[in-house]
């Protein structure tokens, strides 16, 4: 039996002046899933450092990790399998308001290039009306609360 590994990752809720959030998509077996930019920590990185690095790799946006502020959401652990290896995943989310900019995916890793098939900016009403899978679960309400009420005093626990 293969031992489960822990995968810690950081994601960034990029919100532009029109209060739209940037999400990437993966389509598998005809179902499309949307999620925020981000990815796994490398040895020695903090969550904020990983988030800033992933933003540069996935969008071309350069930010100082200090600009990310405090974590706004903390994901419930979930299981996945990658290349036959089981993982227990922990995700931490940061909010960053940014000016509108052109997304540059030229630094995607091979796995990202193979899996990610699109990106777009979404408004909360658009999120509420889609039948696609959104991550984390409940994203329209979570984001709506975050945009209207601001960052919480403590990170909100989210699923998936």
């Amino acid at each position: 039996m293969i031992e489960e590994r822990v995968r810690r990752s950081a994601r960034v809720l990029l919100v532009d002046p029109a209060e739209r959030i940037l999400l990437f998509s993966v389509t598998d077996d005809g179902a499309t899933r949307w999620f925020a930019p981000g990815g796994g920590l490398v040895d020695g990185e903090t969550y904020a450092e990983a988030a800033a690095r992933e933003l540069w790799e996935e969008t071309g946006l350069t930010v100082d990790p200090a600009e990310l502020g405090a974590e706004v959401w903390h994901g419930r652990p979930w299981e996945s399998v990658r290349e036959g290896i089981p993982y227990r995943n922990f995700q931490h989310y940061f909010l960053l308001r940014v000016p509108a900019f052109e997304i540059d995916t030229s630094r995607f890793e091979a796995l990202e290039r193979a899996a990610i098939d699109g990106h777009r900016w979404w408004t909360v009403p658009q999120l509420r009306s889609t039948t696609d899978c959104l991550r984390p679960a409940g994203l329209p309400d979570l984001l709506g609360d975050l945009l209207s009420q601001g960052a919480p005093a403590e990170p909100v626990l989210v699923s998936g």
Side-chain angles (χ1 to χ4, degrees):
M1 181 174 183
I2 298 174
E3 184 176 332
E4 182 179 72
R5 296 185 187 173
V6 171
R7 183 170 190 268
R8 301 188 188 286
S9 62
R11 299 214 167 268
V12 182
L13 309 166
L14 281 180
V15 177
D16 73 3
E19 300 227 314
R20 300 178 307 164
I21 184 172
L22 177 69
L23 299 177
F24 288 106
S25 65
V26 170
T27 303
D28 188 25
D29 292 330
T32 301
R33 178 174 44 96
W34 294 88
F35 52 92
L41 276 67
V42 296
D43 288 342
E45 272 185 326
T46 66
Y47 286 99
E49 289 167 342
R53 176 184 50 76
E54 288 285 341
L55 277 181
W56 179 76
E57 290 174 2
E58 295 180 355
T59 71
L61 183 66
T62 302
V63 299
D64 184 308
E67 291 179 62
L68 297 172
E71 176 187 351
V72 294
W73 300 341
H74 181 85
R76 291 183 198 280
W78 56 280
E79 283 75 33
S80 66
V81 177
R82 182 185 284 181
E83 298 177 353
I85 301 169
Y87 287 88
R88 186 159 178 82
N89 298 276
F90 297 86
Q91 297 198 80
H92 296 250
Y93 291 84
F94 297 89
L95 171 66
L96 183 64
R97 291 186 175 270
V98 295
F101 69 99
E102 185 72 28
I103 305 302
D104 175 4
T105 60
S106 65
R107 285 175 289 284
F108 269 9
E109 295 175 0
L111 180 65
E112 293 164 330
R113 277 192 302 278
I116 296 173
D117 52 26
H119 65 271
R120 74 175 262 202
W121 294 90
W122 294 77
T123 64
V124 170
Q126 290 169 332
L127 292 171
R128 290 188 198 285
S129 68
T130 188
T131 58
D132 290 346
C133 178
L134 301 172
R135 292 290 182 237
L139 180 60
D141 290 336
L142 289 163
L143 183 62
D145 290 349
L146 187 60
L147 296 177
S148 67
Q149 299 168 17
E154 295 291 324
V156 173
L157 185 61
V158 300
S159 295

